[in-house]
Amino acid sequence: MAFTDWRPFIYGGGASVFAEFFTFPIDTSKTRLQIQGQHIDTKLTKLKYRGMLHAMYRISKEEGFRALYSGVSPALLRQATYGTIKIGIYYSLKEMLIKNPEDNTLLTSVICGIVAGVVSSSFANPTDVLKVRMQASNKDFVQQNMFRSFANIYKQEGVKGLWRGVGPTAQRAAVVAGVELSLYDMCKKHIIHRDLLGDNVYTHLISSFIAGLGGAITSNPIDVIKTRMMSQRNLRLLPVEGVQSSAIYTGSLDCAIQTVRTEGVMALYKGFIPSWMRLGPWNVIFFLTYEQLKLLY
């Protein structure tokens, strides 16, 4: 298999879009939980959401059920690009580097996952920025169509606005792809090699569940920073009442330091339950769909 083989790219993109759509409300609640409690908020109001279910309940009650799918268009566009490139590069790289299946080591899988995650997330970053802002209930973006919103971000904040938070996004993608993809492949290989279940849907289910849990644990701190960096606006151009600074955070490191200083270390694990509740089902749906597409074609 080489980069001319289209199958991993198409299967990966299709499975990613399918998984994203069915788990999107959980992702919306995760985003709301991660951005609340910042020092910009604590001066003005108390915490609005007490957890994932409470967030989903309040969002649907106060803003309507459709609010749970606010930002789904750029999210699906992101998966159509990010998922396609990530899975395609990952499996193509593995085929290029591994000539004998017995030589497939955890280190090789992790390296391929990291490369695939960084490249794909960097390319798809503008769609992630818009998705986060729409999920955060930014009225400037919710009431506009997707392409006009992209144009407005570019007009008001320039190219940097479209690639805001690309650092933590690429870091998170490297961690998630490096952990999830390698864990899935290693678990699947171990189960099949030991003749525990064989290469079937049960093996895929167990492996994808473990991959989702590992990805959630390792990526949540980076995900919190990424979400907060993307949700902040250029306050010099788009002023927010009660805020005098030009931006909340000057960079990823500043975001991490301020978050820990004002809210404690555990703030880096805000939204962990919905993150896990999303990554778990997301990975299960993704890998089961991906494996079935491989069998069909």
Side-chain angles (χ1 to χ4, degrees), residues 120-286:
S120 56
S121 64
S122 298
F123 183 83
N125 197 79
T127 59
D128 210 12
V129 170
L130 183 57
K131 182 201 77 168
V132 168
R133 294 190 182 188
M134 293 180 74
Q135 285 179 317
S137 190
N138 189 325
K139 295 180 180 180
D140 293 317
F141 299 98
V142 172
Q143 297 174 355
Q144 299 173 356
N145 66 56
M146 181 172 63
F147 297 104
R148 182 173 297 176
S149 297
F150 278 128
N152 284 342
I153 293 175
Y154 175 76
K155 184 183 300 182
Q156 296 167 347
E157 304 174 49
V159 174
K160 289 184 178 179
L162 292 172
W163 267 268
R164 187 180 298 279
V166 67
T169 300
Q171 292 164 13
R172 180 186 182 276
V175 171
V176 171
V179 172
E180 288 182 351
L181 295 177
S182 59
L183 266 182
Y184 177 80
D185 281 354
M186 290 299 104
C187 288
K188 178 181 171 183
K189 176 184 176 183
H190 178 77
I191 293 172
I192 295 174
H193 183 70
R194 300 241 176 193
D195 292 326
L196 299 176
L197 289 173
D199 191 0
N200 54 41
V201 67
Y202 301 107
T203 297
H204 306 155
L205 180 64
I206 294 171
S207 301
S208 59
F209 177 82
I210 294 173
L213 178 59
I217 292 173
T218 54
S219 68
N220 205 87
I222 301 174
D223 194 33
V224 170
I225 296 170
K226 173 190 80 76
T227 299
R228 292 189 170 192
M229 286 293 296
M230 285 183 170
S231 65
Q232 77 168 354
R233 300 184 294 174
N234 187 324
L235 302 179
R236 179 173 57 81
L237 296 174
L238 298 171
V240 174
E241 183 179 354
V243 178
Q244 301 299 324
S245 59
S246 60
I248 307 172
Y249 312 112
T250 58
S252 301
L253 181 60
D254 179 55
C255 178
I257 292 173
Q258 288 199 50
T259 298
V260 172
R261 181 184 297 160
T262 59
E263 303 168 62
V265 175
M266 290 309 296
L268 295 175
Y269 274 89
K270 279 190 172 185
F272 174 76
I273 296 300
S275 179
W276 180 31
M277 291 293 291
R278 176 178 182 269
L279 280 176
W282 196 99
N283 276 277
V284 169
I285 295 172
F286 168 78

Side-chain angles (χ1 to χ4, degrees), residues 35-96:
I35 63 174
Q36 73 172 358
Q38 302 173 82
H39 68 83
I40 184 178
D41 294 328
T42 54
K43 297 176 181 178
L44 304 176
T45 183
K46 295 181 180 179
L47 296 182
K48 187 175 183 179
Y49 309 115
R50 297 193 298 269
M52 181 187 71
L53 294 179
H54 184 247
M56 294 178 70
Y57 170 74
R58 288 203 63 171
I59 292 169
S60 59
K61 181 181 179 180
E62 297 173 1
E63 305 170 43
F65 180 79
R66 291 183 62 182
L68 291 172
Y69 275 90
S70 181
V72 70
S73 295
L76 295 180
L77 177 61
R78 176 182 182 271
Q79 289 300 336
T81 53
Y82 169 71
T84 299
I85 297 171
K86 180 181 71 174
I87 302 302
I89 289 179
Y90 175 73
Y91 284 109
S92 297
L93 273 179
K94 288 190 69 173
E95 284 292 330
M96 292 172 61

